Amino acid sequence: MSSTSNELSSLNFMPTENQQMVAQMARDFAEKHIRPHVMEWDETQTFPIATFKNLGELGLMGVLVPEAYGGSGMGYFEYVDVIVEIAKVCGSIGLSVAAHNSLCTGHILSFGTEEQKQKWLPKLATGQWIGAWGLTEANTGSDALRMNTTAVLDGDHYVVNGAKNWITHGKSGDVAVVMVRTGEKGSSKGISALVIEKGTPGFTSGKKENKLGMRASETTELIFDNCRVPKENLLGIEGEGFKQAMKILDGGRISIAALSLGIAKGAYEAACAYAKERHQFGQPIANFQGISFKLADMATQIEAAELLIMQASDLKNRGEQVTKESAMAKYYASEIAVKIANEAVQIFGGYGYTKDFPVEKYYRDAKLCTIGEGTSEIQKLVISRELLK
């Protein structure tokens, strides 16, 4: 317990002026440019590329990228605030901003050479390019070491064959960081990471998934058919891709925790406002203990999730090990997002089940958070392994 207490004692809970400004900027953008289109994008499964270009102009597509590479050069507290404020309005857009920042862009930032960073980060950090990241395959979800996508070195190029699925921005992305097998199946040293640009012969996108929620965040297959990738596109050393991916997911889990928190806050705020306005038996339903106790539970769970996320963000900002804390934050925040969205629908009653009110979308979007970037079951595996080391 003492190590956690020490970590918490280093936290300063007062947001800096810069944090407040960044949060307000994200909030204003979401209200003006996202909220009017939320249901239209959801119904038509529209991935609004122009919106991401606009977010890039504000520096929100490269929040953690140093200014030298065209990014905003900010830390994890600001980054979490950006995701939360966007996800409060639309989980789909929050998910895409998170995936772009922490996965594709984050992987190149963490493991690219100076030359690789100069080549790709300025385009990604400004939103000029949209990034994708490919680990999962149809038959290897949590069991990534048994992936079938292979890369064989042939002269100055790797020849890549196989497919990835559940890839955010798989069709619209301009560049993807893809984990490929360069060694033995099942070996943690048999995976490497390649940067593959759109337009490379043999690299195409496949089926677009028709999803329950997060419908404005594009999810497709990536297909590789004798795709020749220059060997200088290898990130780090051959065989280090799996280790790199696990480190990237440590940070990515903070993103999904923040996404969950935003959805939970959005659902809670909608339910709280409705409970004050909706009258039954001659008074607001918020006056009834059945409803007020629900709101008390929701608010408490949000506070707890936020504290876990702040702790993980603080450790990440200080460059410390964050595996356990980010898994705890992701696991708890995603599970309470589902609970809170469920309770919000209940508070709205019949109206909560219709698309005329916002909570049914929070309900649909929240579920992805317990699955993406490592299921709740995988988070418990990660947490228990860290505890029992």
Side-chain angles (χ1 to χ4, degrees):
M1 190 68 206
S2 59
S3 65
T4 305
S5 305
N6 291 340
E7 285 154 9
L8 281 173
S9 68
S10 69
L11 281 173
N12 175 4
F13 294 103
M14 285 299 292
T16 62
E17 193 177 340
N18 191 56
Q19 274 174 258
Q20 289 172 323
M21 277 169 51
V22 171
Q24 189 63 52
M25 176 170 68
R27 196 176 304 132
D28 291 345
F29 182 91
E31 287 299 333
K32 187 175 178 184
H33 300 287
I34 299 173
R35 195 178 291 282
H37 311 288
V38 166
M39 288 315 293
E40 171 206 339
W41 291 342
D42 183 76
E43 296 277 308
T44 59
Q45 299 196 71
T46 299
F47 179 62
I49 293 174
T51 302
F52 293 98
K53 305 283 185 196
N54 294 337
L55 283 162
E57 287 162 15
L58 292 175
L60 302 183
M61 296 294 272
V63 182
L64 301 162
V65 176
E67 290 176 26
Y69 304 114
S72 298
M74 291 187 275
Y76 266 78
F77 289 126
E78 289 87 353
Y79 175 54
V80 164
D81 286 342
V82 167
I83 304 297
V84 167
E85 291 301 336
I86 293 171
K88 271 165 71 172
V89 174
C90 181
S92 294
I93 308 303
L95 172 61
S96 278
V97 171
H100 172 94
N101 271 281
S102 76
L103 298 180
C104 179
T105 307
H107 200 140
I108 295 169
L109 177 63
S110 296
F111 297 105
T113 61
E114 185 58 33
E115 195 179 345
Q116 289 170 331
K117 291 178 191 176
Q118 294 284 2
K119 183 176 182 180
W120 290 301
L121 288 180
K123 290 173 182 169
L124 287 163
T126 55
Q128 186 185 334
W129 277 18
I130 288 169
W133 193 80
L135 176 65
T136 304
E137 296 181 6
N139 297 313
T140 59
S142 300
D143 186 13
L145 287 178
R146 283 168 181 76
M147 67 175 63
N148 292 313
T149 299
T150 56
V152 178
L153 194 57
D154 176 33
D156 293 335
H157 289 76
Y158 282 97
V159 181
V160 182
N161 282 287
K164 298 287 177 181
N165 72 345
W166 308 116
I167 307 306
T168 306
H169 316 143
K171 182 182 173 193
S172 298
D174 299 278
V175 63
V177 174
V178 183
M179 271 38 74
V180 292
R181 192 157 57 76
T182 49
E184 291 299 310
K185 187 179 277 197
S187 166
S188 62
K189 294 185 171 66
I191 311 291
S192 302
L194 292 175
V195 181
I196 309 180
E197 293 186 17
K198 188 189 222 172
T200 305
F203 175 28
T204 53
S205 61
K207 177 191 169 200
K208 180 175 174 176
E209 303 297 343
N210 184 8
K211 299 176 300 194
L212 168 74
M214 302 291 195
R215 290 167 61 82
S217 178
E218 175 188 279
T219 308
T220 76
E221 293 176 309
L222 298 180
I223 298 168
F224 305 96
D225 181 13
N226 289 322
C227 175
R228 294 181 69 83
V229 181
K231 68 178 183 183
E232 58 264 26
N233 287 24
L234 176 73
L235 289 171
I237 299 167
E238 190 175 290
E240 285 193 342
F242 184 74
K243 195 165 72 175
Q244 291 175 7
M246 293 306 103
K247 283 186 180 163
I248 292 305
L249 286 172
D250 275 353
R253 284 170 183 146
I254 297 174
S255 301
I256 303 299
L259 178 66
S260 307
L261 180 64
I263 292 168
K265 283 187 170 186
Y268 164 75
E269 286 172 14
C272 198
Y274 182 79
K276 291 174 186 172
E277 291 161 11
R278 169 80 165 162
H279 281 66
Q280 292 287 274
F281 307 102
Q283 57 184 310
I285 63 169
N287 288 0
F288 298 112
Q289 196 177 78
I291 301 297
S292 65
F293 277 20
K294 282 187 192 296
L295 294 170
D297 279 338
M298 292 157 87
T300 303
Q301 288 161 355
I302 283 170
E303 290 285 329
E306 195 152 22
L307 286 169
L308 283 169
I309 294 166
M310 287 171 83
Q311 176 178 246
S313 299
D314 179 55
L315 289 171
K316 194 79 178 136
N317 279 343
R318 292 192 276 127
E320 294 188 23
Q321 177 77 8
V322 75
T323 305
K324 181 187 77 181
E325 289 77 8
S326 65
M328 284 178 166
K330 194 271 188 192
Y331 167 53
Y332 184 76
S334 64
E335 290 290 341
I336 64 105
V338 172
K339 282 183 188 168
I340 287 168
N342 182 40
E343 290 289 39
V345 172
Q346 194 70 15
I347 287 168
F348 271 78
Y351 293 114
Y353 207 66
T354 71
K355 291 184 183 288
D356 298 327
F357 289 83
V359 288
E360 66 83 33
K361 183 174 180 295
Y362 292 121
Y363 184 73
R364 289 185 290 109
D365 287 349
K367 189 59 203 163
L368 182 273
C369 299
T370 69
I371 299 168
E373 293 197 35
T375 61
S376 290
E377 290 73 21
I378 287 290
Q379 303 314 315
K380 288 197 262 193
L381 192 67
V382 170
I383 295 162
S384 59
R385 276 182 184 164
E386 290 296 312
L387 294 175
L388 299 170
K389 262 184 180 176

